[in-house]
Amino acid sequence: MPDEFGSGIIVPLIKDKSGNLNDTRNYRPITLTPVISKVFENEILSICQHCFMTDELQFGFKQNMGCSDAIFAVKSTVNYFVERGSRVYVATLDVKKAFDSANRFKMLSTPLDAGIPLPVVDVMCNWYSKLFAAVRWNSCLSLSFLVGSGVRQGSSLSPALFSLYVNIIIVSLKSCDCGCYIRDWYFGCFMYADDIIILAPHFLVCSPC
């Protein structure tokens, strides 16, 4: 991959203009990447689209599906059990900085397991080995530094790659045979990107996975 495909410019955007402008937590970093690299990423997505399919219980980064669909699915599942005299235990998990801290080695081995051709995975591995970024503040630009973990910010490919990576969570929970079931359908876990809701009826005794 050309070195330029791995370059990015980070622009900090203020979250709350009425807040403390000296607090780094009040800024959201947005990474600008070369347009030509996004065109290349969209070609990969087009060619390997069938390999990037994730479980139906993952609602993030999918066409014609959004947060409202996930909320509706969770409420419908809870209502189903409540109407039949059962309480439902709910656990929520928001993985902090999941996009920025994802293990690169494990993340890039996931596409190979999903059936994406080895040459394409090799291209992605080479691409991720040369990710550099610089921070732009007003008219000043910092020195470039290596980005050594997480998905590539500002990338068209990153959402699909991340969804494939975390899909193992749903697969693992299903294999434990724990959580809410409606007939033979599993509704014990709902994900929206890296936000997770786990449901279990109170009368179910879970065995160790």
Side-chain angles (χ1 to χ4, degrees):
M1 295 298 294
D3 292 345
E4 290 77 8
F5 275 36
S7 64
I9 302 295
I10 299 176
V11 180
L13 298 181
I14 300 174
K15 294 180 181 179
D16 182 9
K17 293 183 178 180
S18 62
N20 184 4
L21 300 184
N22 294 322
D23 186 356
T24 56
R25 293 171 296 183
N26 194 28
Y27 290 85
R28 178 183 294 107
I30 302 296
T31 303
L32 307 178
T33 58
V35 175
I36 186 63
S37 68
K38 291 187 177 182
V39 173
F40 186 79
E41 287 174 322
N42 286 322
E43 284 301 312
I44 293 178
L45 287 172
S46 177
I47 295 171
C48 305
Q49 185 176 9
H50 62 286
C51 296
F52 281 105
M53 300 297 294
T54 56
D55 197 278
E56 294 177 346
L57 297 175
Q58 169 63 269
F59 291 82
F61 308 124
K62 289 185 176 178
Q63 189 174 11
N64 300 323
M65 191 173 290
C67 187
S68 58
D69 299 291
I71 294 173
F72 175 78
V74 172
K75 290 179 66 175
S76 298
T77 302
V78 172
N79 289 339
Y80 176 87
F81 284 88
V82 170
E83 290 169 0
R84 286 159 178 78
S86 172
R87 295 190 300 272
V88 177
Y89 295 108
V90 181
T92 61
L93 176 64
D94 181 8
V95 185
K96 186 178 180 180
K97 304 292 184 182
F99 293 93
D100 299 326
S101 59
N103 184 292
R104 288 268 179 87
F105 176 79
K106 292 183 178 180
M107 183 179 67
L108 292 173
S109 64
T110 305
L112 200 59
D113 297 335
I116 295 177
L118 179 59
V120 177
V121 178
D122 281 341
V123 165
M124 288 192 288
C125 288
N126 180 260
W127 201 339
Y128 269 81
S129 70
K130 54 181 64 176
L131 294 188
F132 286 83
V135 179
R136 188 176 71 193
W137 183 259
N138 294 328
S139 59
C140 299
L141 192 66
S142 73
L143 296 175
S144 295
F145 55 89
L146 177 67
V147 181
S149 64
V151 296
R152 182 170 180 252
Q153 296 292 331
S155 163
S156 301
L157 185 60
S158 290
L161 191 59
F162 181 83
S163 293
L164 197 62
Y165 172 58
V166 297
N167 193 62
I168 187 63
I169 296 175
I170 301 176
V171 174
S172 297
L173 287 172
K174 281 186 173 181
S175 67
C176 289
D177 199 28
C178 296
C180 291
Y181 279 84
I182 298 178
R183 298 184 184 273
D184 294 328
W185 292 88
Y186 178 77
F187 293 98
C189 172
F190 298 87
M191 294 188 68
Y192 189 85
D194 59 339
D195 295 320
I196 309 169
I197 295 179
I198 301 175
L199 305 178
H202 85 283
F203 54 77
L204 181 65
V205 179
C206 297
S207 58
C209 298

